[in-house]
Amino acid sequence: MTGSKMSGADALLKALEQEGVDTVFGIPGGASMPIYDPLVDRSPIRHILCRHEQGAGHAAEGYAWATGKVGVCMATSGPGATNLVTPLADAKMDSVPIVAITGQVPTPVVGNDAFQEADITGITMPVTKHNFLVKDPADIVATVREAFHIASTGRPGPVLIDLPKDVLLADTTYRWHDNVTLPGYKPTTKGNQRQVVEAVKMILRAKKPVLYVGGGVIKADAHQELFDLATTGQLPVVTTLMARGVFPDSNELCLGMPGMHGNYTAVTAMQKSDLLVALGARFDDRVTGKLAAFAPHAKVIHVDIDPAEIGKNRVADVPIVGDCKDVIGKLAAELHKRQDEAGGPPDRSAWLGQLRGWQDEYPYRYPTDDGKLKPQYCVERLRALADDDTICVSGVGQHQMYASQYWRFEHPRKWINSGGLGTMGFAVPAAMGAKVGRPEARVVAIDGDGCFQMTAQELATSATEQIPFVTAILNNGYLGMVRQWQELFFDERYSGVWLDPNVPDYVKLAEAYGAVGLRVESTDEVDTVIEKAYSITDRSVVIDFRVDPGEMVFPMVPSGASNDDIIVGPESIQSTTDPGEAPIA
Amino acid sequence: MNGATLHTISVLVEDRPGVLTRVAGLFAARGYNIDSLAVGPTEAAGISRMTIVVNVDESPLEQVTKQLNKLINVIKILEHDPGTAVERELMLVKVRAEGDARARIMELADVFRVSIVDVTASTLTVEASGKPEKLEALRELLSEFGIVELSRTGRIALARGERGIRERVLKAAKAG
């Protein structure tokens, strides 16, 4: 097979194209200029010029979350590349498949402290699934193939390809490789049938089972298999922050979110359960609370594609390594078979009745009688006036928890946020990326005033590239989550958290960026303004919701406390928190 | 150093730039001290073998091993059972050797069946290979003469028996 002659940069773009890439988010620079030249007329790939490389990285993440495809971002060498470190770390923590392409100084000066040089493969080693420095143009195509394969298979994650300028400029011969050869990389995707049978026996014996569902089920596109398993076995489901939407909130088996700010029923169901079936979930400390006191009576079935997650925090009685789609499908099939033989699922009416009782007694709630504009209400109305296909994106902090609590999720890939790393500034660029990936869907970013100011410049990208979405700032004039902790655990000493709700003027700032700016100051304006915002589809809209700065996120399990000590609301704070055990974030 | 938590691990890796950093970085990121690390080529082209001796408890070691397995360039990991592994290390030690010390050092070298590889008017350089315990004993005895300089390779190890891990790995790779 003979290939055609072209530059390294042309080969790169052709390989990206052949991988199915239609969009790249990036910013050019000296070292990456060779890649930009063919983008003018020789490549069909759409390049979206972002305003900060961090924005480009989060946009690629948003695109990947919304579509299930690999997101791609691009930066030049040195500072351009280092600006990608945060989104790469974010994607690593949340298993988001992205490929980052960085320009590098020419090979003769690599390692020489050349202008705009940074050892980006060295810097990103701990925050990528893998990375490459390509020194020969003949390796470019194979490297792109390997990068996309690694990013999208097994436990997905970020991969970086670093390309020196001379390698991009050099002539090479384009040869597509059908097969990827990585002798050290063979993820186990098929679950062991014997373990599956063992797990189903345990499920049938359990009196108080809970399906503990994490983001891995979304990554594996296993929501139908999950629905089948849960409904067949009459198994209640908790969906972690990362898994919101993978099981419909409207289903009676859905208990919603567990964890530090989860609801009482989800948290307590796990605590009281006799069997936890962990599916693509990793027993994160924000879910377990104090590990030693977590679900003390529960046996554990742990399904994960990453063997390193199994047994990491909690010993698994039945470990199953494999892709969630395969394993959950097998679990459901085996359960069907055995229940058909037995004439139906075991009687779990007592357990399900108890759960329903808790749900009735302890719903999410917030004060509604003090006349103040409540952030929770804003989220409820933003959701109520949107359709089920709307994609909700959040930053990190109180607003993120309100969004995960008060938005109602019915479908997977409608909820995008930064879970593991907790990256402030995630929402605006990720919403932009989601809109590019799913242009037909409405995208609503629920952001905090602190978060918004970290990446708001991507509104300029949204305006010039015509990528319209709605940003709802829950503006309380504070770094709200830190303020909440200072109130609860640091004697209300509010150090370094006040932002001033009037600076900047978010309405004027939105307009300066070519978006529409709207403001809501009281509860009775909420619906009118949201309806107006939703009626604008040709431009981005920013709504400045002036919410009650004193509002806090409840329920809450203080960091380091047991989930048994869940604080349901402000009235129970005094009795359950010990200032001597002030948590560290 | 607590012998109960010393583990010897063999890691077969692709011979590529940066692999050593990736492997060592995994230990460093978790704050574990590597006692020794020896790297060299294997019988197969493109595959290097690292022998890592690390002082960790069983449970974090399992986690580190699993994380090592996730590195794309890592092909196979084997933890050696001390009872069924051949473990060796090489040591060069330059000792002060004046007066009657010279004869006593040569006598020691004889007993330990190690060689003198360099001689000056005031020093002798001893080359010793063997189990780390033997080298430790020799070093202890030589230290009374005054050690000028010492260099050790770190441990390398192979499992006893006729089969090798690479053979098994290649079979598994073909089957998979």
Side-chain angles (χ1 to χ4, degrees), chain A residues 196 199-200 203 229 279 303 320 327-336:
Chain A
V196 166
V200 168
I203 291 172
L229 176 68
L279 305 169
V303 179
I320 309 178
V327 179
I328 300 173
K330 283 176 175 164
L331 287 169
E334 182 68 21
L335 193 63
H336 267 296

Side-chain angles (χ1 to χ4, degrees), chain A residues 271-463:
Chain A
Q271 281 305 93
K272 306 287 183 201
S273 72
D274 63 357
L275 178 68
L276 283 177
V277 186
L279 305 169
R282 59 192 179 90
F283 294 86
D284 182 79
D285 54 88
R286 285 300 196 253
V287 167
T288 63
K290 186 179 175 186
L291 193 58
F294 172 66
H297 312 296
K299 297 253 184 205
V300 169
I301 296 166
H302 195 169
V303 179
D304 206 295
I305 195 152
D306 181 355
E309 287 303 340
I310 296 179
K312 185 178 85 174
N313 294 329
R314 171 78 179 243
V315 172
D317 298 281
V318 179
I320 309 178
V321 177
D323 182 77
C324 273
K325 196 173 179 70
D326 175 79
V327 179
I328 300 173
K330 283 176 175 164
L331 287 169
E334 182 68 21
L335 193 63
H336 267 296
K337 196 179 98 187
R338 287 182 181 251
Q339 287 188 171
D340 286 350
E341 287 162 10
D347 177 21
R348 297 207 187 86
S349 52
W351 177 231
L352 295 174
Q354 189 171 27
L355 295 174
R356 199 138 307 129
W358 288 335
Q359 280 176 321
D360 293 342
E361 196 175 348
Y362 302 105
Y364 283 127
R365 63 198 160 81
Y366 57 91
T368 51
D369 52 3
D370 57 10
K372 293 175 180 164
L373 178 60
K374 296 295 176 182
Q376 299 95 327
Y377 180 74
C378 299
V379 173
E380 281 182 328
R381 297 313 298 164
L382 283 161
R383 174 63 180 100
L385 298 170
D387 57 50
D388 281 357
D389 195 40
T390 303
I391 296 173
C392 177
V393 188
S394 88
V396 168
Q398 287 184 314
H399 64 278
Q400 174 189 28
M401 292 299 115
Y402 295 137
S404 61
Q405 292 176 340
Y406 289 91
W407 194 275
R408 198 187 70 245
F409 296 96
E410 294 299 316
H411 307 291
R413 299 196 185 280
K414 301 295 174 198
W415 165 240
I416 300 174
N417 82 124
S418 165
L421 195 65
T423 306
M424 286 179 67
F426 178 83
V428 168
M432 183 173 77
K435 182 68 180 176
V436 171
R438 293 284 317 281
E440 76 291 356
R442 185 193 306 285
V443 177
V444 177
I446 294 178
D447 218 355
D449 43 334
C451 274
F452 180 77
Q453 293 186 68
M454 291 191 176
T455 49
Q457 72 277 12
E458 297 310 333
L459 286 174
T461 311
S462 142

Side-chain angles (χ1 to χ4, degrees), chain B residues 91 93 95-96 101 104-114 126 133-147 150 152:
Chain B
M91 173 172 82
V93 50
V95 206
R96 287 205 191 290
R104 287 166 56 207
I105 291 164
M106 292 173 82
E107 201 176 305
L108 261 180
D110 223 27
V111 173
F112 275 83
R113 297 203 190 89
V114 298
V126 179
E133 302 79 47
K134 168 181 156 179
L135 301 191
E136 201 45 43
L138 178 62
R139 188 195 63 78
E140 188 81 36
L141 288 165
L142 290 175
S143 66
E144 77 172 77
F145 302 101
I147 292 175
L150 179 144
R152 291 170 76 154

Side-chain angles (χ1 to χ4, degrees), chain B residues 22-36:
Chain B
R22 290 178 200 276
V23 170
L26 261 183
F27 288 90
R30 285 161 179 77
Y32 302 140
N33 196 20
I34 294 177
D35 271 52
S36 98

Side-chain angles (χ1 to χ4, degrees), chain A residues 130-131 184 306-308 310, chain B residues 22 63 66-67 70 72-74:
Chain A
H130 193 58
N131 60 22
D306 181 355
I310 296 179
Chain B
R22 290 178 200 276
Q63 179 57 211
K66 284 175 166 178
Q67 295 292 345
K70 284 169 68 171
I72 307 293
N73 302 133
V74 168

Side-chain angles (χ1 to χ4, degrees), chain B residues 8-13 20 23-24 34-42 48-54 88-90 152-157:
Chain B
T8 306
I9 307 163
S10 278
V11 185
L12 290 191
V13 299
L20 180 60
V23 170
I34 294 177
D35 271 52
S36 98
L37 195 160
V39 195
T42 62
S48 297
R49 185 175 181 121
M50 296 184 182
T51 310
I52 304 170
V53 181
V54 64
R88 292 291 182 272
E89 187 177 342
L90 180 68
R152 291 170 76 154
T153 57
R155 196 178 306 188
I156 57 169

